[in-house]
Amino acid sequence: MANTPDWLTQGATESKPEPATQPDWLKQGATAVETEPPARGLKGWAGDIAATALKGAVGVPEALVGLADIPTGGRVGKFLENEGGTFGFRPKQAREFITDTSNSDATKEAQRKFQEADGVWDKTKTAIQNPSLIAAAVGESLPAMGLGGVAARGLLAGTRLGQMGATGAALAGAAGEGVVGAGQQAEQIRQETKDGLLTPEQTGYAGLTGLTTAGFGALGGKIANRLGIGD
């Protein structure tokens, strides 16, 4: 049998087609296409509402513990946290667990976009494009606002603010909001520290947050009184 010439075998191997590859512009275009956000559905809405209510409920004891943290340098919160123990008061972990188990995929995606947004403008734009984030933030703050109302009523009953009518009520409400805001901020700062405690500077930041919150509350109450509407 005659052998196949070398030039013929070389030609056969050289003529094998190479696998087709996609051009770079096509690959880039495929990755640039964003997928549609997941649908929330009735079950998703129910989960989001439940998650908002639960996170709001966590904020109430968190504020109370934070108020105890301010004069103790965070020692009350650290003691209640019981790090490494089976049980403990851990608001941060509770919120993360609620998010993982109750929030819908649509809300998780919106939260991811908000966290990845860079700067105040981008975060504001993302929040406007995802109004459910704003609604959830408002819903989570309602229980803390109720706690601030309790503090305000205590101030009205125990100080001369109760004798100042609408102005006194507005100031008491602002002070109540400030107290709760300072407590929440103090405990949230403590949760992020390495030693689980608060430095005097960090305590000062929490107090400044409370004063700022009270200032905005007083301004809002003043505007409400001038408009003749309830504060």
Side-chain angles (χ1 to χ4, degrees):
M1 180 181 294
N3 294 328
T4 305
D6 293 338
W7 63 268
L8 185 56
T9 58
Q10 293 175 358
T13 57
E14 291 177 358
S15 62
K16 290 182 180 180
E18 296 182 357
T21 58
Q22 292 180 336
D24 292 337
W25 64 266
L26 185 57
K27 294 179 181 179
Q28 295 174 358
T31 56
V33 177
E34 295 185 357
T35 59
E36 291 292 331
R40 187 171 275 108
L42 182 60
K43 183 179 179 181
W45 280 112
D48 288 340
I49 293 173
T52 299
L54 291 172
K55 290 178 184 178
V58 169
V60 173
E62 182 179 46
L64 296 175
V65 172
L67 290 174
D69 284 338
I70 291 176
T72 63
R75 288 175 175 80
V76 172
K78 183 175 183 178
F79 172 76
L80 295 176
E81 185 179 31
N82 190 26
E83 184 179 2
T86 304
F87 300 101
F89 178 69
R90 301 158 189 165
K92 181 180 177 181
Q93 295 181 11
R95 277 190 291 266
E96 292 174 350
F97 176 79
I98 293 169
T99 297
D100 292 339
T101 59
S102 299
N103 275 133
S104 65
D105 291 339
T107 294
K108 292 177 183 178
E109 178 65 14
Q111 291 173 344
R112 182 192 65 79
K113 291 180 180 179
F114 182 81
Q115 292 173 356
E116 294 180 354
D118 186 19
V120 176
W121 170 250
D122 287 342
K123 287 187 178 295
T124 301
K125 182 180 178 182
T126 303
I128 294 175
Q129 292 174 343
N130 300 272
S132 61
L133 293 177
I134 301 175
V138 173
E140 290 176 22
S141 68
L142 290 178
M145 291 174 62
L147 180 62
V150 173
R153 290 182 181 277
L155 290 173
L156 287 174
T159 66
R160 295 182 179 180
L161 291 175
Q163 303 174 6
M164 298 173 60
T167 300
L171 292 175
E177 291 180 14
V179 168
V180 173
Q184 285 186 323
Q185 189 64 34
E187 175 59 15
Q188 289 174 7
I189 292 175
R190 188 205 64 78
Q191 294 167 18
E192 300 297 332
T193 60
K194 292 182 179 180
D195 59 1
L197 297 173
L198 290 173
T199 64
E201 183 179 9
Q202 291 168 335
T203 302
Y205 285 142
L208 182 60
T209 299
L211 290 174
T212 304
T213 302
F216 281 115
L219 178 62
K222 186 176 182 179
I223 295 173
N225 288 333
R226 287 192 175 184
L227 294 176
I229 59 178
D231 181 17

